[in-house]
Amino acid sequence: MRTLLLLSNVVVLALPLTGFWALRLYESALVRQTEAELRAQAAVLAGTWRAARGIAGESLANGLTSRALETARRRGLDLARDPVLPLAPDPRPGPAPVPEVAAAAARLLPVLRDTQAVTLAALRLLDPQGVVVASTGTDTGLLLAGLEEVEAARGGTPSAVLRRREKIATDVPNGISRTAGLRVHLAMPVLDGERVDTIVLLSRTPATVMQTVTGKVPEIAAVGLLLLLLVAALAALASRLITRPLDAVVRAARQVAGGGTARLPPVPRSAVREAAELSDAISRMTATLEGRATYVRGLAAHVSHEFKTPLAAMRGAAELLSEHGESMSAGERARFAATIEEGVARLDRLVRGLLDLARADMAAGGGRAMLRPLAEAAARRAPALRVSVEGEAEAAAAPEAVATVLDSLLGNTLAHAGPGSAVSIRIAREADRAVMLVADDGPGLSPANAARAFDPFFTTARERGGTGLGLAIARSLVAGAGGTLSLAPPHPSGEERGATIRIVLPAS
């Protein structure tokens, strides 16, 4: 679920960021496009100049050094890489231009003006000193030497730079575009051999993003609609995969919290894994709570029944002693007092058994136990029985819990089968389990009693002080260790006597 939400947010966040990144790239593309157009115009003007001046050579490339040619063909200006130079200082009057250069420039002035009418670029021709000899503006005769691009061209190297531009009344507002306040300047030298004969200087402001976007409104609207549909689809997907399954789980959980027994509807296969796991966990929790509630109700009923009998006997004996004690013989008073003592002793056994059962229900697994030494120690604590131990295995259980279980089973055998009974404890390792079979040669259990053998307070030795909690405590201890305790079915032939308890624990 976290992954799905993270991906959804990242996608939604990336959309405007991607658009912003693309916008920045597009601004650089507009600058490079302007530079490329200026280079093409400069090349045409340089070729025209060479023809007008009669300079030998077939092309502009033949008049450039290898370093200058490499510079001319470089990948162009970049807003992210190239610095933006400050506004050019006001030019000052220059010296007298070279006469033959000035004469050739005068003949080419109409070409410059016609070119400007189409390209909107500012065009100038400079003599080798950097003096403007022809211009589409009003700066003819001014000296531009000292500018970075002009100085590079005077050295025979073409140069393109970015400069801040003057603000005029017709400027496009900057807005989100960085190109509105910039101007691309290109200086291209025209060489006669190794000598710079003239410099073609051009400049133009690149188109702004706002100007470009204005003509793309339908396409931008289509992209915006597509983005909105994508966000809506992501929201619908998140709702289907997360919200609806969780709503169903929350409704069922509220019914359970209110005391109901709601069954969770099956989670759709398309739901996220966490929602399915939560639904399954709440279903298991509901079943556990219902089972626990049923267990507590049954236990409360059994406790009230077991306590009612000795309490009634004690109450009757106490009332008789209180009302007729003076007229009773010593033997009668002793008999009633013994009844009260027996009731107190039984209640004490019941309370201690309930405490042991509660501890067993809360017992947790853990530890390692070698089963044979524990079985032999339990046999020594039951000298009235003939106990034999076979086999060995190590179980993942607390040794104290295993010892308590064995003591309970041997005590149960002694109570029902009597002293001198034979008990066989067989231990074995089966795959990833440790198994103990505790069998005796007593009278065994009838089918009806076998079905209730592990119910709390069920006993057939009540007159001998049995509480019916021994097997329930033993089963709870084994369950706390992650195992099972069950009554093995009788032999089909019916020839074997006694009962067999099967204990299965996880192997260490």
Side-chain angles (χ1 to χ4, degrees):
M1 185 164 55
R2 288 194 301 269
T3 303
L4 182 61
L5 292 175
L6 178 62
L7 288 176
S8 299
N9 291 331
V10 166
V11 169
V12 173
L13 179 62
L15 295 179
L17 291 180
T18 303
F20 182 73
W21 175 74
L23 186 64
R24 306 288 284 191
L25 292 180
Y26 188 56
E27 286 182 327
S28 290
L30 292 175
V31 169
R32 285 193 293 272
Q33 178 183 354
T34 301
E35 180 189 2
E37 293 173 355
L38 292 180
R39 287 184 182 276
Q41 297 172 40
V44 172
L45 292 175
T48 304
W49 179 268
R50 292 169 64 86
R53 290 274 290 157
I55 298 175
E58 298 178 357
S59 66
L60 179 64
N62 292 337
L64 297 178
T65 64
S66 59
R67 181 172 60 85
L69 184 59
E70 179 182 356
T71 303
R73 292 176 178 174
R74 70 188 182 95
R75 56 192 179 94
L77 296 172
D78 193 320
L79 283 174
R81 184 189 68 242
D82 296 305
V84 177
L85 301 179
L87 185 68
D90 292 336
R92 62 184 185 278
V98 178
E100 56 271 22
V101 173
R107 293 194 299 271
L108 289 182
L109 183 58
V111 176
L112 299 183
R113 291 174 176 168
D114 290 345
T115 304
Q116 184 196 36
V118 176
T119 64
L120 304 179
L123 298 91
R124 302 177 180 87
L125 294 176
L126 283 64
D127 71 357
Q129 307 172 84
V131 178
V132 179
V133 293
S135 172
T136 56
T138 59
D139 52 357
T140 302
L142 298 181
L143 180 65
L144 298 182
L147 297 180
E148 180 177 322
E149 61 273 25
V150 173
E151 291 302 313
R154 291 180 67 190
T157 302
S159 176
V161 298
L162 287 170
R163 286 190 180 276
R164 299 198 178 279
R165 58 173 295 202
E166 291 186 76
K167 301 296 181 183
I168 58 176
T170 57
D171 275 354
V172 177
N174 284 344
I176 61 173
S177 177
R178 298 175 295 168
T179 57
L182 303 179
R183 195 169 181 87
V184 178
H185 291 254
L186 174 70
M188 179 75 71
V190 181
L191 303 180
D192 184 4
E194 295 294 328
R195 181 181 63 84
V196 175
D197 188 68
T198 192
I199 298 171
V200 179
L201 181 62
L202 303 92
S203 65
R204 198 183 76 187
T205 299
T208 65
V209 173
M210 192 63 66
Q211 291 171 329
T212 306
V213 166
T214 302
K216 301 291 183 180
V217 173
E219 291 82 356
I220 295 175
V223 172
L225 179 61
L226 179 61
L227 294 181
L228 289 177
L229 292 177
L230 179 59
V231 172
L234 289 175
L237 180 63
S239 174
R240 179 175 181 81
L241 297 183
I242 300 175
T243 308
R244 289 200 296 174
L246 289 183
D247 284 343
V249 172
V250 169
R251 285 195 299 270
R254 285 175 178 169
Q255 295 181 27
V256 173
T261 57
R263 298 299 180 187
L264 288 169
V267 176
R269 295 177 59 87
S270 60
V272 293
R273 175 173 52 86
E274 287 84 353
E277 291 177 353
L278 178 61
S279 176
D280 180 64
I282 292 182
S283 296
R284 287 186 280 109
M285 180 186 70
T286 303
T288 301
L289 291 177
E290 291 177 0
R292 182 63 64 180
T294 302
Y295 173 77
V296 170
R297 287 193 294 268
L299 182 63
H302 286 302
V303 169
S304 63
H305 175 74
E306 291 295 326
F307 275 52
K308 187 181 298 183
T309 300
L311 285 174
M314 293 165 61
R315 183 183 296 111
E319 290 176 354
L320 289 173
L321 286 174
S322 175
E323 295 174 1
H324 307 287
E326 295 180 357
S327 61
M328 290 181 181
S329 63
E332 289 175 333
R333 285 195 299 270
R335 188 173 73 252
F336 286 121
T339 300
I340 294 176
E341 290 178 358
E342 291 174 0
V344 171
R346 178 163 181 79
L347 288 176
D348 181 65
R349 289 194 299 272
L350 287 171
V351 169
R352 283 189 283 107
L354 287 172
L355 289 175
D356 290 340
L357 181 61
R359 294 190 187 100
D361 283 342
M362 293 184 296
R368 299 170 63 181
M370 300 300 297
L371 299 183
R372 185 182 181 92
L374 293 173
E376 292 173 346
R380 290 192 294 271
R381 290 192 294 270
L385 298 174
R386 296 180 289 115
V387 182
S388 62
V389 181
E390 300 176 5
E392 174 63 299
E394 186 177 16
E400 299 83 1
V402 176
T404 302
V405 171
L406 291 172
D407 288 343
S408 178
L409 295 180
L410 294 180
N412 196 61
T413 299
L414 183 61
H416 292 82
S421 300
V423 179
S424 171
I425 302 178
R426 297 191 297 274
I427 305 170
R429 171 77 178 260
E430 297 180 1
D432 58 348
R433 301 175 301 171
V435 180
M436 280 196 300
L437 296 177
V438 181
D440 61 49
D441 61 351
L445 289 87
S446 66
N449 289 341
R452 302 182 57 195
F454 297 99
D455 292 347
F457 303 107
F458 174 77
T459 178
T460 58
R462 194 176 304 277
E463 67 281 357
R464 296 190 295 275
T467 61
L469 294 174
L471 289 179
I473 292 172
R475 171 174 272 187
S476 295
L477 287 171
V478 173
T484 60
L485 186 148
S486 59
L487 185 65
H491 196 274
S493 65
E495 297 177 357
E496 295 185 4
R497 299 178 66 247
T500 301
I501 300 294
R502 177 180 173 86
I503 305 170
V504 179
L505 293 167
S508 176

